[in-house]
Amino acid sequence: LVDLDHFTPPWMISVRGLGHTMGHTRNDPRLDLSESQIRFRACLPGERTYQVTMLTNPGDTTITYRFLPPIDTSQSDATGGGLPDPVPFRVWPENGVIPPHQFHLVVLEFAPLRAKNEVAYVATFQIVVDYNESHPKTLKVSGRSWVPTVRFCQSQPMVTFPPTSAGIASSLDCLVRNVSEIPISVECRIPARYRKIFSFATPSQILMPSQSSYVRAHFCPEGEQVFSAPLYCVARPLEDEDNEVRGPLKALMNRRDGLSSEPNYVLQLVGHGREPALVLEPDSLDLGAVRARDEVRNQVVLLNSSNLTVHFTVKVEFLPNEDAGVMVPSKEVGEEAIRVETMEGELAGRCNQKMEILFRPAQCGLYEYRIALTPRGTHSKSGRPIVLNVRADVQYPTIQVADLRSECSAPQPQSMMWTQFQVDGINSLFKSEVTEVEREFQRAIGIDAKKRLVDQLKPFQLLFGTSAAGSRPTVVYLTLTNPSRLKVRFSFQTPKDLNLENAPYWCDEKALTDEREAHFSWVEEHGIYDISPRGGEIPPGDYLHVKLTYNHDSIGTHILPVVFNVHDSRSVLLYLKAHSVSPTVGCLSVRSAVVALQPVPLDANGGTTQPVELTNSGCIPAPWRVDVDSIVDFNLGNHAFQVLSVYPTEGILAAQSSTFLHFTFTPLEAKKYSCPVRVEMLKDGSPCEELIFELKAEGYDPESEKPTPEPFFPPTLPIQTYAPVPGCAAALSIELLDFGCCPQRAWTSRMLVMVNYSSEYVLGFRWQSRGLFEAGELRIEPSSGELAPESHLIVVFRVCSETPVDISSEIACQLQWTHVQGYRKKTDEFDANLEQTPPEYFAFHKDHVHEKIKTGKDFLAGQAKHVSVANRLTVSRFRNLMSSAAGQKFLNDNLHRTALLSTHLPTMMGRSNMLPDTKGQPISPPPTSIPLYIRVRAVIADWAVPEDRRDNFLVLTPGLVASLHSEAATANAAEAEQCLEKDREQDYDNEKDILAVAGNNSLNAEGVALGRRSARTMTALSNMTSPQGGGLGLESVGPGDAYASVMGSEPGGDFGNVGAAVPGGVSQDVAAGVLEEMLREIAQSSDFDEILDGMIMQQPPLYVQLEDSPGPGDHPVPVESDVLKASIEMVRREAEELEANWGLEASMAQEEADEAAEGAFRSDLLLDFEEPVLEEVRLPWKSASSAPSAPAPKNAAETVQNNPPNPTPQSYWEEGRKLYGEVDPEVFRRDAGEVLEHLLLDMVDDVIAGRLNWMRPMPRPRNRR
């Protein structure tokens, strides 16, 4: 019925009957309209828009309504008698019945057929209610119909661009306004031949009704000329998807008349091209170190050297450099971190512009950017870009623990403290990113907020170890370094810092705190721990020492939580933990509850011995015993094979010392072994305490890969002191001696340099192996001795073992300091003490003990010294002296006008703490005696070294190894005897000192005590150069050194072990050492030249006047020897020759000979040497039948005849074999190695001392003829 040509819709006739029934009461009908005036949305001609209005019946009766046809009330624009336009408004439904209190929705339609633009369509609808046409309701409707209409640049006919540099795009914003009230799309068009010069960034735009916008036109000239192009515009209406009609009914829709899609001419574009010139200063920007999450602003200057305005664009490109070896952020993070304020712009001619760069990184890493500033052109005609390279190293303020040193009564090596303080974990934490919890903790202001967040921080435990109560404090020095390029500020916060200070009683929460917090408060209130400094700053690349002190004031375990804050960075929670035991008990411990041995192959015959350190931290010796039952059960469980053995199994460990348990591990199978070890501490022969630890080991097949165990020493341990520890003046050049893998009986050496940085104190040292090696397996040269101020000493470590061992442990070096004035004043004090009359005691207390004065700061600091009443200058004695002229002169000469009263005693230093120098000024306190530890790593086993590498070692024969061990045993025995002798002398001296204080000793006994002390003092200055001497010696390290480095004895020795005093006098070596020191001081004096001139010009001395004659009453009996007789005879012959040749009197020579016969003496100083006995050495070219002595040659020709023409090396070899016998190759290898080693040590010593000039070329070797 319906197609495109015929439209015959179906007809339907409906009949509607309407009626109205009235009630008994009259109710006037009433109809309410929701809107009396309705305005339709503007639309295109042929479009339809709709509105909905609501008709409401508020009455109690049903009403009817009917819409009359609309009446056009708009002003007609028809001209020339044209027909008026039809009214474009319709309504549906046109009539209806509304029940009481109900409503109807009526749809109104606006469908204009012609556009009137600014003129609106206006009409009214009459609504008849209940057939009452005399009083209809009125509904006014209106709407506008538009065609797309735009306006460019306020209808200007031409737009001119500013002068623009060639190749640079300048822009001009053209104002585009949608005059119509319908949404339209605008497209700007330029002829194709002008599109390389003129262009639009966005040629098409969508404009809402009456909206204005700017269309940016670009002008990029190709050269210096004037360019012009027309601009066309096409405006199209936007289709409303809601009003779109699809399908066959679309043909019934009204057609849009008057709409055209052809472009319309708008205006003319004109531009003038010029030549550009841009410069960027600087061309690169290094922001340096930037703190993460900080905002950094920087500026660069863009200069336009031309007279024209230049338009440019900025492009930022992030360059992730993966090859930099540092952390690089992701591309997204890098792009978000930087922002350039001016991404595009223009710069007027002869002007500059500051371009600000804002950098705010969120993560650490290396940020590199390439910022390209390009003069903007069209298409490919953009200018050459100007590149700005930006680089920033984003960091957090971070801290690293570079070194750790401890000073305590119990032995605590650096490697053990490094592990107990979890240094590696702390350093790793500070290298990572900051967490949000740490940021909130540092930003928190309230106490409650900090307490809530402190438990969420990363915790670390710092173990100070164990020692006896009352021991000296355990001091740990942490060397904090700042590896970043930012200044670091840090602080420590204790629980007291996180609470209120001086809290009122009503808010005291002590009763509400738990036992844990109460313990923390008690530890802090009693000063168990001390941290110095509590805060500070570390410049970039610098370091700072933090001193942590634990005071052993009470028995028990003490824990204190401390928050370590690096401001604007990370925060960690440190638990300081230490333990103090009773001073009447011992305390045994090992490093860890699980001790891992190094893996051993199955073909290791006899197994490998490995040490485990056992420490006694108590104040009393601890008898101990290893429970071998667990080891026996372990071996029985492994096929009754001795997989594990230990020695020693019992002993007595001295107080605050350590020893080693040597475990021999011989694996039977390639598997992991685990054995519990139980060490009992004995009291009265029965166990009173036990120490249990687990021993783990692993055996592996030698044909397979060797398992990699955890290293015994942390790999991050520093190999030398990072920075001088406060108060410490000694250091080692290296603290790790790695002998590597050596075959058995190999003579392997390593060396290090010990340095004394002090300028006033002599360093006494002694190396203690603590039983790490068997006797003779380790030799330290020198093992003890002294080191002069500002000098160095090369220490050689030699290892040689016959049994397989795997060593990873420390060797301690004990230190002792003596001021240089002590050496110079001891002799003077000895003489002064002998001549000083002892004080006369008329009475003394036997039961009362004189105590120190318990007042003053020195008493609080523990430095108050007791001075005897006999030596005090009391007020009465001072008045007595001041009453006479002699007494005043005595006070003036001895006290330097300063009287020492008894009330001054608390403020005075003791004699042992203040040794005045030559100028009378007090000297600085001695450096600390922190032991130096050297880490030793060695694997001595034949299976550890391949056969082809054994030739690189000096392997000794079993006989030579046995001789070395016997020599070491002899040296150790001599050392022990010397130590016992020293202890006996010390005890004797202490007894005499006690008697002298009490007043019960006589002058003779006091003199004996002083004599022994003086002998020991003078012996300390002796020059014992012999390695078997067992004493100390001085050896010069360079010209001008008043004190030199001191070489000690062979393995063993002690600080006071300087040799036994010679009965009846001083030994020759002691006297020679004292004279040498005197000569050195004389040679360094300023008037030494005058003394030397006087020695040269003086007359020959009479040696007989300088004889060492004894004192009166003690004449020695002269002993005539062969040497004495020969000397007398020689003097007589010289006298006869003098009398015959020069005419001198023979009586003088006879007198000299008689005086020489009275006593036999010899002096090296007087050049009175014994005549050497020389053996005749027969040269190889002399015949056996020749005479014993040949006459001296008379001329050179005779000399040439006596010498063989060409002596061969074979002749030297045969002659040496005749004189010295056959050569032992093993002994020769050992001696040759020692010679080469000494050459190397001498060269190293010259390099360290600065005596070797590297700039001077080495001498050329001469050809040997």
Side-chain angles (χ1 to χ4, degrees), residues 68-81:
L68 299 179
I71 302 172
D72 186 6
T73 61
S74 61
Q75 297 179 0
S76 175
D77 58 346
T79 61

Side-chain angles (χ1 to χ4, degrees), residues 1001-1157:
N1001 60 323
S1002 61
L1003 180 60
N1004 188 16
E1006 196 174 85
V1008 171
L1010 291 173
R1012 287 182 177 269
R1013 287 194 294 272
S1014 177
R1016 197 162 57 249
T1017 301
M1018 297 175 68
T1019 307
L1021 293 171
S1022 63
N1023 184 12
M1024 306 297 290
T1025 57
S1026 175
Q1028 291 83 12
L1032 306 176
L1034 291 171
E1035 180 185 19
S1036 177
V1037 296
D1041 292 340
Y1043 297 91
S1045 57
V1046 181
M1047 303 294 293
S1049 63
E1050 287 295 317
D1054 202 348
F1055 297 119
N1057 184 17
V1058 293
V1062 179
V1066 182
S1067 64
Q1068 294 181 0
D1069 293 333
V1070 173
V1074 174
L1075 291 175
E1076 180 182 356
E1077 184 65 24
M1078 294 172 57
L1079 291 176
R1080 289 182 185 275
E1081 293 185 0
I1082 294 174
Q1084 291 180 357
S1085 61
S1086 59
D1087 54 351
F1088 177 69
D1089 296 338
E1090 300 177 359
I1091 297 176
L1092 186 61
D1093 295 340
M1095 292 173 58
I1096 296 175
M1097 300 300 297
Q1098 70 179 359
Q1099 296 295 330
L1102 298 177
Y1103 294 122
V1104 73
Q1105 296 179 359
L1106 304 176
E1107 64 177 352
D1108 189 12
S1109 58
D1114 189 10
H1115 297 280
V1117 179
V1119 179
E1120 296 185 0
S1121 59
D1122 296 337
V1123 178
L1124 178 61
K1125 294 178 180 179
S1127 300
I1128 296 174
E1129 186 64 27
M1130 181 181 63
V1131 172
R1132 288 177 179 175
R1133 287 199 304 269
E1134 291 179 355
E1136 294 176 358
E1137 293 177 359
L1138 290 174
E1139 183 180 3
N1141 296 335
W1142 288 282
L1144 300 178
E1145 296 180 0
S1147 59
M1148 183 181 295
Q1150 183 65 31
E1151 183 180 356
E1152 294 178 359
D1154 296 339
E1155 292 178 357

Side-chain angles (χ1 to χ4, degrees), residues 733-807:
S733 61
I734 189 172
E735 298 180 354
L736 174 62
L737 295 182
D738 192 355
F739 289 86
C741 298
C742 309
Q744 297 170 210
R745 302 188 309 277
W747 187 252
T748 311
S749 302
R750 296 289 185 271
M751 70 173 182
L752 56 85
V753 180
M754 180 183 293
V755 183
N756 181 7
Y757 294 107
S758 174
S759 60
E760 300 181 6
Y761 284 87
V762 177
L763 170 63
F765 65 92
R766 180 189 178 191
W767 291 94
Q768 295 179 347
S769 61
R770 300 174 295 167
L772 181 60
F773 288 87
E774 293 294 326
E777 293 182 352
L778 174 65
R779 296 172 63 91
I780 306 176
E781 300 176 359
S783 63
S784 62
E786 293 185 349
L787 194 58
E790 297 182 352
S791 62
H792 68 276
L793 176 66
I794 297 179
V795 184
V796 182
F797 292 76
R798 294 186 174 91
V799 173
C800 181
S801 176
E802 287 188 295
T803 58
V805 294
D806 193 332
I807 301 296

Side-chain angles (χ1 to χ4, degrees), residues 779 965-978 1027 1050-1053 1057:
R779 296 172 63 91
H965 291 182
S966 63
E967 292 177 3
T970 304
N972 291 339
E975 174 191 1
E977 182 64 26
Q978 292 172 0
E1050 287 295 317
N1057 184 17

Side-chain angles (χ1 to χ4, degrees), residues 976-991 1012 1016:
E977 182 64 26
Q978 292 172 0
C979 291
L980 292 176
E981 179 64 22
K982 174 241 179 180
D983 294 339
R984 285 194 294 267
E985 291 182 2
Q986 187 68 29
D987 295 340
Y988 180 75
D989 294 342
N990 293 338
E991 293 176 0
R1012 287 182 177 269
R1016 197 162 57 249

Side-chain angles (χ1 to χ4, degrees), residues 398-401 426 429-430 438 441-442 457 478 480 488-494 531 533-535 538 546 561-567 569-574:
T398 182
I399 277 181
Q400 295 288 295
V401 181
I426 296 176
L429 177 73
F430 277 99
E438 295 168 347
F441 178 79
Q442 294 195 5
L457 299 178
L478 294 178
L480 303 182
V488 170
R489 295 183 300 111
F490 70 92
S491 62
F492 290 91
Q493 289 181 319
T494 59
I531 303 175
R534 288 290 186 95
I538 305 178
V546 175
V562 177
V563 178
F564 178 50
N565 297 310
V566 177
H567 297 181
S569 183
R570 310 216 62 166
S571 297
V572 295
L573 181 59
L574 306 178

Side-chain angles (χ1 to χ4, degrees), residues 791-863:
S791 62
H792 68 276
L793 176 66
I794 297 179
V795 184
V796 182
F797 292 76
R798 294 186 174 91
V799 173
C800 181
S801 176
E802 287 188 295
T803 58
V805 294
D806 193 332
I807 301 296
S808 295
S809 190
E810 284 94 355
I811 297 177
C813 180
Q814 302 295 333
L815 307 180
Q816 189 178 23
W817 300 92
T818 304
H819 197 269
V820 293
Q821 299 296 335
Y823 286 97
R824 298 180 180 177
K825 294 183 176 295
K826 285 183 179 179
T827 304
D828 299 337
E829 292 177 0
F830 169 66
D831 296 337
N833 290 333
L834 287 180
E835 298 176 0
Q836 182 181 3
T837 303
E840 183 178 3
Y841 293 91
F842 296 98
F844 59 90
H845 296 281
K846 294 182 178 179
D847 300 330
H848 177 70
V849 178
H850 288 277
E851 298 180 354
K852 305 173 185 178
I853 298 179
K854 298 183 179 181
T855 58
K857 297 181 180 179
D858 289 343
F859 172 75
L860 298 178
Q863 299 178 356

